[in-house]
Amino acid sequence: MSFITIFTPTYNRGYTLENLYKSLLKQNSEIEFEWVIIDDGSTDNTEEIVKLWKEKNNKFEIIYKKQANQGKHVAINNGLEIAKGKLFFIV
């Protein structure tokens, strides 16, 4: 089986990340995955929301990093540096 990285660059999208989180929780595939979130300087409650999810017993690892606002292209490059998966999907 392959290990994959689900990658989410985000900026002030705490209100909508929950939809993706719930979808990832519903995955019943035997493929292991991690969720890498790069927060591009959000000023909303994104960091607090993700912290609560990380404290739960998820079937997958959540890796969260906050950076100063530098744009999506920098967030993607930083996500690639962190990712451990053989496959990298931006969602």
Side-chain angles (χ1 to χ4, degrees), residues 6-7 12 35 50 52 59 64 75 78-79 87:
I6 306 298
F7 172 69
N12 288 339
W35 187 21
V50 174
L52 291 173
K59 299 182 287 186
Y64 174 84
N78 287 336
L87 301 172

Side-chain angles (χ1 to χ4, degrees), residues 5-91:
T5 298
I6 306 298
F7 172 69
T8 305
T10 186
Y11 177 75
N12 288 339
R13 294 291 181 262
Y15 68 94
T16 191
L17 280 176
E18 186 172 11
N19 292 331
L20 177 53
Y21 175 67
K22 287 180 178 179
S23 176
L24 293 174
L25 287 175
K26 292 179 183 177
Q27 299 305 307
N28 59 8
S29 171
E30 302 214 3
I31 297 175
E32 292 184 48
F33 65 92
E34 65 183 355
W35 187 21
V36 175
I37 304 166
I38 301 292
D39 185 340
D40 193 34
S42 293
T43 57
D44 66 356
N45 61 344
T46 297
E47 186 170 6
E48 292 81 15
I49 291 169
V50 174
K51 182 180 177 186
L52 291 173
W53 295 336
K54 287 182 64 138
E55 293 172 356
K56 294 183 178 188
N57 186 20
N58 299 298
K59 299 182 287 186
F60 53 90
E61 181 180 9
I62 300 173
I63 302 161
Y64 174 84
K65 180 181 176 190
K66 187 164 188 171
Q67 66 182 27
N69 185 267
Q70 301 172 68
K72 184 177 178 180
H73 62 290
V74 174
I76 292 170
N77 288 337
N78 287 336
L80 283 167
E81 288 181 16
I82 294 170
K84 295 176 276 194
K86 288 184 177 184
L87 301 172
F88 185 86
F89 293 96
I90 301 173
V91 182

